[in-house]
Amino acid sequence: AQKVTQVQTEISVVEKEDVTLDCVYETRDTTYYLFWYKQPPSGELVFLIRRNSFDEQNEISGRYSWNFQKSTSSFNFTITASQVVDSAVYFCALSPNLQGGSEKLVFGKGMKLTVNP
Amino acid sequence: DAGVIQSPRHEVTEMGQEVTLRCKPISGHDYLFWYRQTMMRGLELLIYFNNNVPIDDSGMPEDRFSAKMPNASFSTLKIQPSEPRDSAVYFCASKGGTGRATDTQYFGPGTRLTVL
């Protein structure tokens, strides 16, 4: 079975602090995708990043960076110099199979980040 | 480019009434997904379509829920009769097209349903 675990449910930081959101996944598939989505207070789900299981290079996009480690089944997300606009619920998700089969996107429970001024 | 469009954005109805939620996927996408988000269960997939054909409806909670996709640019999720426990945010998502983003699901703004 596929499973995504976000152990932290809620984090509160002060603006300009760095914060890391943890994500651990379980799957028996050898190929899969991992995702992060952001849900701001307005409610929409915004795609942030997709990572192929065979590409373990870390990625940086502005203040955002992602650390994928297949050996520990983790796909952690770091926000550097956090800002109030980063306040949102962040979801990690797993798409279990690249080669046909189920197209289900399995989500973690989400982690609420509050950045205080 | 227009994203996924959902209507209505908010719906308040009384128990027993029929509710129809609508979705227009991103043009060129051949997959369409319906999700439900609640505090208790988080985000859960209800059903998805490929080329307008339902592929997996195992997440549909019960026979009161039905979904259709009559063409590539329109889908509906219907609840009849509605119950208070159906209150949730319902998201539509689509994926497909060409290029790097083909395997990424893009979500609509959601419909917040309240059943009194």
Side-chain angles (χ1 to χ4, degrees), chain A residues 61-111:
Chain A
S61 176
R63 296 184 297 106
Y64 295 172
S65 62
W66 291 269
N67 182 2
F68 175 36
Q69 293 197 354
K70 210 168 181 178
S71 60
T72 56
S73 297
S74 65
F75 186 42
N76 297 335
F77 173 28
T78 297
I79 302 174
T80 303
S82 59
Q83 299 177 0
V84 173
V85 293
D86 296 327
S87 297
V89 179
Y90 291 86
F91 292 92
C92 182
L94 167 71
S95 177
N97 195 332
L98 295 178
Q99 303 298 327
S102 173
E103 298 290 339
K104 284 186 177 181
L105 194 55
V106 177
F107 283 89
K109 295 292 187 186
M111 200 287 301

Side-chain angles (χ1 to χ4, degrees), chain A residues 33 35 37 39 41-47 49-52 55 59 89 91 95 97-98 100-109, chain B residues 9 31 33 35 37 40-45 48 55-56 58-59 89 91 95 99-110 112:
Chain A
Y33 282 124
F35 301 81
Y37 285 85
Q39 187 172 37
S42 51
E44 70 272 26
L45 275 164
V46 179
F47 163 72
I49 190 170
R50 182 194 72 197
R51 170 63 68 214
N52 292 333
D55 179 5
E59 183 157 340
V89 179
F91 292 92
S95 177
N97 195 332
L98 295 178
S102 173
E103 298 290 339
K104 284 186 177 181
L105 194 55
V106 177
F107 283 89
K109 295 292 187 186
Chain B
R9 294 293 308 276
Y31 283 88
F33 304 80
Y35 290 85
Q37 185 179 32
M40 291 296 293
R41 300 174 68 90
L43 275 158
E44 49 183 348
L45 177 68
Y48 76 90
I55 302 300
D56 184 350
S58 59
V89 180
F91 287 101
K95 75 169 190 176
R100 291 190 61 202
T102 55
D103 287 303
T104 297
Q105 292 185 28
Y106 293 92
F107 285 76
R112 182 173 295 277

Side-chain angles (χ1 to χ4, degrees), chain B residues 13-82:
Chain B
T13 190
E14 292 189 348
M15 184 174 63
Q17 296 298 305
E18 177 179 296
V19 175
T20 300
L21 311 181
R22 297 173 177 79
C23 175
K24 177 179 169 56
I26 293 172
S27 177
H29 283 189
D30 55 353
Y31 283 88
L32 184 139
F33 304 80
W34 282 101
Y35 290 85
R36 179 171 67 176
Q37 185 179 32
T38 61
M39 288 296 293
M40 291 296 293
R41 300 174 68 90
L43 275 158
E44 49 183 348
L45 177 68
L46 300 177
I47 185 171
Y48 76 90
F49 296 82
N50 178 217
N51 291 321
N52 313 336
V53 176
I55 302 300
D56 184 350
D57 64 355
S58 59
M60 296 285 262
E62 49 198 274
D63 291 345
R64 297 184 298 104
F65 286 69
S66 63
K68 293 182 180 179
M69 192 164 186
N71 57 62
S73 59
F74 183 66
S75 176
T76 60
L77 177 67
K78 186 175 293 186
I79 308 172
Q80 167 64 18
S82 58

